[in-house]
Amino acid sequence: MSGIISQNVGRTSGLVKAAAAGGGAWTLIETITASSDSTIEFDSGIDSTYPIYLFKIINLHVSSNNTKPQVNFRDGSTAYDATKTTTHYSCSHNEADNQTWLQYETGGDLAESTGDQAFFYQNVSNVDDAASSGELFLFSPSSTTFVKHFIGRLAVVANPVASGQGYIGGYCNTTAAIDGVQFKMNSGNIDAGTFKMYGLGDS
Amino acid sequence: MSGIIAQNTLGGSGLIKSPEGGGVWNFIKKLTASASSDLSFVNGTDDVVLDSTYKTYFFTFKNIHASAQANFQVNFSEDTGSNYNVTKTTIYFFASHNEAGDSTSLSYQASYDLAQGTGAQPLGLSFSSDNDAGGAGYMHLFDPSNTTFVKQFISTAGGFTDGDYYNTNNVSGYCNTTSAVDAVQFSMSTGNIDAGDICLYGVSS
């Protein structure tokens, strides 16, 4: 690139020129706002345009107490049921300051399973001011050669009331393209929350 | 902000108004492996910027395919790539789970951390050479050109081994030097990076 505008790329004032296909900057693709929804689905816009997709979960408020935020992936059909092997661990510290943990969640991981992956296996709270926020990276979803990795973390208000964080990592064990991502609760609805999908270009 | 230009923020074409206070991610360089012994980002070489231009740098790893099962690793240079041997102290822990579903672990890996070591730091253990195996993840490198403080880095990478164990690898540490870090090298502990790519981004501040 050349010229005054392109030379200004990376600056914090004035005009910059957005490079083709996002030019490496995170490009906001879609925002979905939850309102008592059973599922939040990004069912388009996941393709070879970007090699990395990032999902931001902001203030996810659940309708039912003691429930688990979950994610799943679509690999070509209409169902969100890609086969996955994952790890899941979590940590927590309660408001009463008498309980902490860091542990592997043996009940919350998956081994070649098509089921939903819990973000926080130990359950979240539905008290009025409770909400969860976090992120999920999805790598090379359109690759038809390799499995598809994902890495995520979600900060939650746990039940009983505590600060908690769930960490997930794993792969969709398929060489089919992943073309959809679904968020849901294991029970009840996603009462409120904002879900954003970004793409990160590499050229 | 208002107006046509402001409405185009985060768009993939045309003009955008850069946000006040920075935060813009800028693509800098993509290195694609092809039976490569290493992928090295050297400031000032081949359009690589790794200096005071940005306070935070971000590397992404995609489909890192090993020629033979080996650890995916990183090292740093303070002499523009002549030597990758910056002194580091690091931590390493991972969560592991196999496809058979009969083995799990969340553990600190004392064999793979460094205590004032100059060797390469593993970012992912035993990446498989299976045809469909490709590790993925990211690494933050903070303020590499600072000449007052050490240089922190944080990485998370996922990969699976030849025995179908999946590991979520978590690494952080610091280059214990007040010299600027001006080059970063990724490699396998043995063999080559058969395929995959690593991208470098700078986050304007």
Side-chain angles (χ1 to χ4, degrees), chain A residues 8 10-16, chain B residues 1 5 9 16-22 24:
Chain A
N8 201 31
R11 303 299 176 82
T12 58
S13 62
L15 297 176
V16 300
Chain B
M1 296 188 294
I5 291 175
T9 295
I16 62 175
K17 181 179 179 182
S18 83
E20 295 177 4
V24 174

mmCIF file with all atom_site columns, all heavy atoms in Angstrom, chain A residues 8 10-16, chain B residues 1 5 9 16-22 24:
data_model
loop_
_atom_site.group_PDB
_atom_site.id
_atom_site.type_symbol
_atom_site.label_atom_id
_atom_site.label_alt_id
_atom_site.label_comp_id
_atom_site.label_asym_id
_atom_site.label_entity_id
_atom_site.label_seq_id
_atom_site.pdbx_PDB_ins_code
_atom_site.Cartn_x
_atom_site.Cartn_y
_atom_site.Cartn_z
_atom_site.occupancy
_atom_site.B_iso_or_equiv
_atom_site.pdbx_formal_charge
_atom_site.auth_seq_id
_atom_site.auth_comp_id
_atom_site.auth_asym_id
_atom_site.auth_atom_id
_atom_site.pdbx_PDB_model_num
ATOM 1   N N   . ASN A 1 8  ? -1.065  5.808  7.281  1.00 0.00 ? 8  ASN A N   1
ATOM 2   C CA  . ASN A 1 8  ? -1.605  6.095  8.596  1.00 0.00 ? 8  ASN A CA  1
ATOM 3   C C   . ASN A 1 8  ? -2.155  4.856  9.287  1.00 0.00 ? 8  ASN A C   1
ATOM 4   O O   . ASN A 1 8  ? -2.643  4.924  10.406 1.00 0.00 ? 8  ASN A O   1
ATOM 5   C CB  . ASN A 1 8  ? -2.717  7.145  8.482  1.00 0.00 ? 8  ASN A CB  1
ATOM 6   C CG  . ASN A 1 8  ? -2.967  7.847  9.797  1.00 0.00 ? 8  ASN A CG  1
ATOM 7   O OD1 . ASN A 1 8  ? -2.054  8.007  10.589 1.00 0.00 ? 8  ASN A OD1 1
ATOM 8   N ND2 . ASN A 1 8  ? -4.209  8.244  10.026 1.00 0.00 ? 8  ASN A ND2 1
ATOM 9   N N   . GLY A 1 10 ? -2.592  1.892  11.563 1.00 0.00 ? 10 GLY A N   1
ATOM 10  C CA  . GLY A 1 10 ? -2.006  1.614  12.866 1.00 0.00 ? 10 GLY A CA  1
ATOM 11  C C   . GLY A 1 10 ? -1.949  2.814  13.780 1.00 0.00 ? 10 GLY A C   1
ATOM 12  O O   . GLY A 1 10 ? -1.614  2.698  14.945 1.00 0.00 ? 10 GLY A O   1
ATOM 13  N N   . ARG A 1 11 ? -2.286  3.982  13.245 1.00 0.00 ? 11 ARG A N   1
ATOM 14  C CA  . ARG A 1 11 ? -2.279  5.181  14.086 1.00 0.00 ? 11 ARG A CA  1
ATOM 15  C C   . ARG A 1 11 ? -3.582  5.262  14.866 1.00 0.00 ? 11 ARG A C   1
ATOM 16  O O   . ARG A 1 11 ? -4.541  4.565  14.592 1.00 0.00 ? 11 ARG A O   1
ATOM 17  C CB  . ARG A 1 11 ? -2.080  6.425  13.233 1.00 0.00 ? 11 ARG A CB  1
ATOM 18  C CG  . ARG A 1 11 ? -0.814  6.388  12.394 1.00 0.00 ? 11 ARG A CG  1
ATOM 19  C CD  . ARG A 1 11 ? 0.436   6.279  13.259 1.00 0.00 ? 11 ARG A CD  1
ATOM 20  N NE  . ARG A 1 11 ? 1.639   6.157  12.463 1.00 0.00 ? 11 ARG A NE  1
ATOM 21  C CZ  . ARG A 1 11 ? 2.292   7.164  11.912 1.00 0.00 ? 11 ARG A CZ  1
ATOM 22  N NH1 . ARG A 1 11 ? 1.830   8.386  12.061 1.00 0.00 ? 11 ARG A NH1 1
ATOM 23  N NH2 . ARG A 1 11 ? 3.369   6.965  11.213 1.00 0.00 ? 11 ARG A NH2 1
ATOM 24  N N   . THR A 1 12 ? -3.592  6.148  15.813 1.00 0.00 ? 12 THR A N   1
ATOM 25  C CA  . THR A 1 12 ? -4.750  6.247  16.692 1.00 0.00 ? 12 THR A CA  1
ATOM 26  C C   . THR A 1 12 ? -5.556  7.504  16.447 1.00 0.00 ? 12 THR A C   1
ATOM 27  O O   . THR A 1 12 ? -6.406  7.879  17.239 1.00 0.00 ? 12 THR A O   1
ATOM 28  C CB  . THR A 1 12 ? -4.303  6.219  18.158 1.00 0.00 ? 12 THR A CB  1
ATOM 29  O OG1 . THR A 1 12 ? -3.399  7.303  18.361 1.00 0.00 ? 12 THR A OG1 1
ATOM 30  C CG2 . THR A 1 12 ? -3.640  4.907  18.486 1.00 0.00 ? 12 THR A CG2 1
ATOM 31  N N   . SER A 1 13 ? -5.300  8.181  15.374 1.00 0.00 ? 13 SER A N   1
ATOM 32  C CA  . SER A 1 13 ? -6.113  9.334  15.037 1.00 0.00 ? 13 SER A CA  1
ATOM 33  C C   . SER A 1 13 ? -6.206  9.448  13.532 1.00 0.00 ? 13 SER A C   1
ATOM 34  O O   . SER A 1 13 ? -5.419  8.852  12.805 1.00 0.00 ? 13 SER A O   1
ATOM 35  C CB  . SER A 1 13 ? -5.506  10.615 15.622 1.00 0.00 ? 13 SER A CB  1
ATOM 36  O OG  . SER A 1 13 ? -4.229  10.841 15.069 1.00 0.00 ? 13 SER A OG  1
ATOM 37  N N   . GLY A 1 14 ? -7.187  10.210 13.077 1.00 0.00 ? 14 GLY A N   1
ATOM 38  C CA  . GLY A 1 14 ? -7.334  10.439 11.650 1.00 0.00 ? 14 GLY A CA  1
ATOM 39  C C   . GLY A 1 14 ? -7.994  9.276  10.949 1.00 0.00 ? 14 GLY A C   1
ATOM 40  O O   . GLY A 1 14 ? -8.679  8.455  11.546 1.00 0.00 ? 14 GLY A O   1
ATOM 41  N N   . LEU A 1 15 ? -7.782  9.217  9.651  1.00 0.00 ? 15 LEU A N   1
ATOM 42  C CA  . LEU A 1 15 ? -8.395  8.189  8.828  1.00 0.00 ? 15 LEU A CA  1
ATOM 43  C C   . LEU A 1 15 ? -7.389  7.103  8.521  1.00 0.00 ? 15 LEU A C   1
ATOM 44  O O   . LEU A 1 15 ? -6.212  7.356  8.326  1.00 0.00 ? 15 LEU A O   1
ATOM 45  C CB  . LEU A 1 15 ? -8.884  8.800  7.516  1.00 0.00 ? 15 LEU A CB  1
ATOM 46  C CG  . LEU A 1 15 ? -9.983  9.855  7.637  1.00 0.00 ? 15 LEU A CG  1
ATOM 47  C CD1 . LEU A 1 15 ? -10.283 10.424 6.260  1.00 0.00 ? 15 LEU A CD1 1
ATOM 48  C CD2 . LEU A 1 15 ? -11.235 9.264  8.247  1.00 0.00 ? 15 LEU A CD2 1
ATOM 49  N N   . VAL A 1 16 ? -7.861  5.872  8.517  1.00 0.00 ? 16 VAL A N   1
ATOM 50  C CA  . VAL A 1 16 ? -7.030  4.771  8.055  1.00 0.00 ? 16 VAL A CA  1
ATOM 51  C C   . VAL A 1 16 ? -7.783  4.057  6.957  1.00 0.00 ? 16 VAL A C   1
ATOM 52  O O   . VAL A 1 16 ? -9.005  4.125  6.856  1.00 0.00 ? 16 VAL A O   1
ATOM 53  C CB  . VAL A 1 16 ? -6.687  3.786  9.190  1.00 0.00 ? 16 VAL A CB  1
ATOM 54  C CG1 . VAL A 1 16 ? -5.929  4.492  10.292 1.00 0.00 ? 16 VAL A CG1 1
ATOM 55  C CG2 . VAL A 1 16 ? -7.939  3.121  9.734  1.00 0.00 ? 16 VAL A CG2 1
ATOM 56  N N   . MET B 2 1  ? -18.954 8.730  17.761 1.00 0.00 ? 1  MET B N   1
ATOM 57  C CA  . MET B 2 1  ? -18.663 9.039  16.375 1.00 0.00 ? 1  MET B CA  1
ATOM 58  C C   . MET B 2 1  ? -19.948 9.008  15.568 1.00 0.00 ? 1  MET B C   1
ATOM 59  O O   . MET B 2 1  ? -20.902 8.332  15.916 1.00 0.00 ? 1  MET B O   1
ATOM 60  C CB  . MET B 2 1  ? -17.683 8.027  15.786 1.00 0.00 ? 1  MET B CB  1
ATOM 61  C CG  . MET B 2 1  ? -16.313 8.044  16.455 1.00 0.00 ? 1  MET B CG  1
ATOM 62  S SD  . MET B 2 1  ? -15.115 7.017  15.598 1.00 0.00 ? 1  MET B SD  1
ATOM 63  C CE  . MET B 2 1  ? -15.803 5.404  15.863 1.00 0.00 ? 1  MET B CE  1
ATOM 64  N N   . ILE B 2 5  ? -18.125 7.661  7.628  1.00 0.00 ? 5  ILE B N   1
ATOM 65  C CA  . ILE B 2 5  ? -16.845 7.044  7.948  1.00 0.00 ? 5  ILE B CA  1
ATOM 66  C C   . ILE B 2 5  ? -16.924 6.306  9.278  1.00 0.00 ? 5  ILE B C   1
ATOM 67  O O   . ILE B 2 5  ? -16.490 5.167  9.392  1.00 0.00 ? 5  ILE B O   1
ATOM 68  C CB  . ILE B 2 5  ? -15.740 8.112  7.973  1.00 0.00 ? 5  ILE B CB  1
ATOM 69  C CG1 . ILE B 2 5  ? -15.509 8.604  6.538  1.00 0.00 ? 5  ILE B CG1 1
ATOM 70  C CG2 . ILE B 2 5  ? -14.457 7.547  8.558  1.00 0.00 ? 5  ILE B CG2 1
ATOM 71  C CD1 . ILE B 2 5  ? -14.539 9.741  6.443  1.00 0.00 ? 5  ILE B CD1 1
ATOM 72  N N   . THR B 2 9  ? -16.604 1.695  10.708 1.00 0.00 ? 9  THR B N   1
ATOM 73  C CA  . THR B 2 9  ? -15.652 1.096  11.621 1.00 0.00 ? 9  THR B CA  1
ATOM 74  C C   . THR B 2 9  ? -15.851 -0.403 11.681 1.00 0.00 ? 9  THR B C   1
ATOM 75  O O   . THR B 2 9  ? -16.964 -0.888 11.771 1.00 0.00 ? 9  THR B O   1
ATOM 76  C CB  . THR B 2 9  ? -15.817 1.694  13.035 1.00 0.00 ? 9  THR B CB  1
ATOM 77  O OG1 . THR B 2 9  ? -15.482 3.070  12.972 1.00 0.00 ? 9  THR B OG1 1
ATOM 78  C CG2 . THR B 2 9  ? -14.915 0.990  14.035 1.00 0.00 ? 9  THR B CG2 1
ATOM 79  N N   . ILE B 2 16 ? -12.005 3.946  7.252  1.00 0.00 ? 16 ILE B N   1
ATOM 80  C CA  . ILE B 2 16 ? -12.544 3.898  8.598  1.00 0.00 ? 16 ILE B CA  1
ATOM 81  C C   . ILE B 2 16 ? -11.834 4.953  9.428  1.00 0.00 ? 16 ILE B C   1
ATOM 82  O O   . ILE B 2 16 ? -10.738 5.386  9.101  1.00 0.00 ? 16 ILE B O   1
ATOM 83  C CB  . ILE B 2 16 ? -12.374 2.520  9.255  1.00 0.00 ? 16 ILE B CB  1
ATOM 84  C CG1 . ILE B 2 16 ? -10.879 2.156  9.392  1.00 0.00 ? 16 ILE B CG1 1
ATOM 85  C CG2 . ILE B 2 16 ? -13.105 1.458  8.474  1.00 0.00 ? 16 ILE B CG2 1
ATOM 86  C CD1 . ILE B 2 16 ? -10.650 0.873  10.125 1.00 0.00 ? 16 ILE B CD1 1
ATOM 87  N N   . LYS B 2 17 ? -12.493 5.371  10.476 1.00 0.00 ? 17 LYS B N   1
ATOM 88  C CA  . LYS B 2 17 ? -11.874 6.306  11.394 1.00 0.00 ? 17 LYS B CA  1
ATOM 89  C C   . LYS B 2 17 ? -11.238 5.504  12.513 1.00 0.00 ? 17 LYS B C   1
ATOM 90  O O   . LYS B 2 17 ? -11.911 4.705  13.167 1.00 0.00 ? 17 LYS B O   1
ATOM 91  C CB  . LYS B 2 17 ? -12.926 7.259  11.965 1.00 0.00 ? 17 LYS B CB  1
ATOM 92  C CG  . LYS B 2 17 ? -12.351 8.295  12.925 1.00 0.00 ? 17 LYS B CG  1
ATOM 93  C CD  . LYS B 2 17 ? -13.442 9.215  13.434 1.00 0.00 ? 17 LYS B CD  1
ATOM 94  C CE  . LYS B 2 17 ? -12.859 10.238 14.403 1.00 0.00 ? 17 LYS B CE  1
ATOM 95  N NZ  . LYS B 2 17 ? -13.917 11.112 14.934 1.00 0.00 ? 17 LYS B NZ  1
ATOM 96  N N   . SER B 2 18 ? -9.958  5.677  12.723 1.00 0.00 ? 18 SER B N   1
ATOM 97  C CA  . SER B 2 18 ? -9.312  4.884  13.757 1.00 0.00 ? 18 SER B CA  1
ATOM 98  C C   . SER B 2 18 ? -9.823  5.313  15.116 1.00 0.00 ? 18 SER B C   1
ATOM 99  O O   . SER B 2 18 ? -10.043 6.492  15.371 1.00 0.00 ? 18 SER B O   1
ATOM 100 C CB  . SER B 2 18 ? -7.798  5.021  13.678 1.00 0.00 ? 18 SER B CB  1
ATOM 101 O OG  . SER B 2 18 ? -7.372  6.153  14.318 1.00 0.00 ? 18 SER B OG  1
ATOM 102 N N   . PRO B 2 19 ? -10.064 4.339  16.001 1.00 0.00 ? 19 PRO B N   1
ATOM 103 C CA  . PRO B 2 19 ? -10.665 4.666  17.283 1.00 0.00 ? 19 PRO B CA  1
ATOM 104 C C   . PRO B 2 19 ? -9.721  5.467  18.156 1.00 0.00 ? 19 PRO B C   1
ATOM 105 O O   . PRO B 2 19 ? -8.513  5.258  18.126 1.00 0.00 ? 19 PRO B O   1
ATOM 106 C CB  . PRO B 2 19 ? -10.939 3.294  17.893 1.00 0.00 ? 19 PRO B CB  1
ATOM 107 C CG  . PRO B 2 19 ? -9.974  2.390  17.224 1.00 0.00 ? 19 PRO B CG  1
ATOM 108 C CD  . PRO B 2 19 ? -9.778  2.933  15.844 1.00 0.00 ? 19 PRO B CD  1
ATOM 109 N N   . GLU B 2 20 ? -10.294 6.346  18.919 1.00 0.00 ? 20 GLU B N   1
ATOM 110 C CA  . GLU B 2 20 ? -9.482  7.108  19.853 1.00 0.00 ? 20 GLU B CA  1
ATOM 111 C C   . GLU B 2 20 ? -8.897  6.160  20.889 1.00 0.00 ? 20 GLU B C   1
ATOM 112 O O   . GLU B 2 20 ? -9.546  5.226  21.342 1.00 0.00 ? 20 GLU B O   1
ATOM 113 C CB  . GLU B 2 20 ? -10.344 8.166  20.532 1.00 0.00 ? 20 GLU B CB  1
ATOM 114 C CG  . GLU B 2 20 ? -10.864 9.212  19.565 1.00 0.00 ? 20 GLU B CG  1
ATOM 115 C CD  . GLU B 2 20 ? -11.769 10.216 20.254 1.00 0.00 ? 20 GLU B CD  1
ATOM 116 O OE1 . GLU B 2 20 ? -11.921 10.119 21.476 1.00 0.00 ? 20 GLU B OE1 1
ATOM 117 O OE2 . GLU B 2 20 ? -12.302 11.077 19.549 1.00 0.00 ? 20 GLU B OE2 1
ATOM 118 N N   . GLY B 2 21 ? -7.676  6.380  21.246 1.00 0.00 ? 21 GLY B N   1
ATOM 119 C CA  . GLY B 2 21 ? -7.053  5.528  22.245 1.00 0.00 ? 21 GLY B CA  1
ATOM 120 C C   . GLY B 2 21 ? -6.462  4.265  21.677 1.00 0.00 ? 21 GLY B C   1
ATOM 121 O O   . GLY B 2 21 ? -5.944  3.436  22.409 1.00 0.00 ? 21 GLY B O   1
ATOM 122 N N   . GLY B 2 22 ? -6.498  4.074  20.383 1.00 0.00 ? 22 GLY B N   1
ATOM 123 C CA  . GLY B 2 22 ? -5.842  2.926  19.772 1.00 0.00 ? 22 GLY B CA  1
ATOM 124 C C   . GLY B 2 22 ? -6.653  1.658  19.891 1.00 0.00 ? 22 GLY B C   1
ATOM 125 O O   . GLY B 2 22 ? -7.877  1.686  19.876 1.00 0.00 ? 22 GLY B O   1
ATOM 126 N N   . VAL B 2 24 ? -6.283  -0.828 17.718 1.00 0.00 ? 24 VAL B N   1
ATOM 127 C CA  . VAL B 2 24 ? -6.427  -1.418 16.399 1.00 0.00 ? 24 VAL B CA  1
ATOM 128 C C   . VAL B 2 24 ? -5.412  -2.547 16.231 1.00 0.00 ? 24 VAL B C   1
ATOM 129 O O   . VAL B 2 24 ? -4.236  -2.395 16.548 1.00 0.00 ? 24 VAL B O   1
ATOM 130 C CB  . VAL B 2 24 ? -6.202  -0.357 15.308 1.00 0.00 ? 24 VAL B CB  1
ATOM 131 C CG1 . VAL B 2 24 ? -6.216  -1.004 13.930 1.00 0.00 ? 24 VAL B CG1 1
ATOM 132 C CG2 . VAL B 2 24 ? -7.264  0.716  15.401 1.00 0.00 ? 24 VAL B CG2 1
#
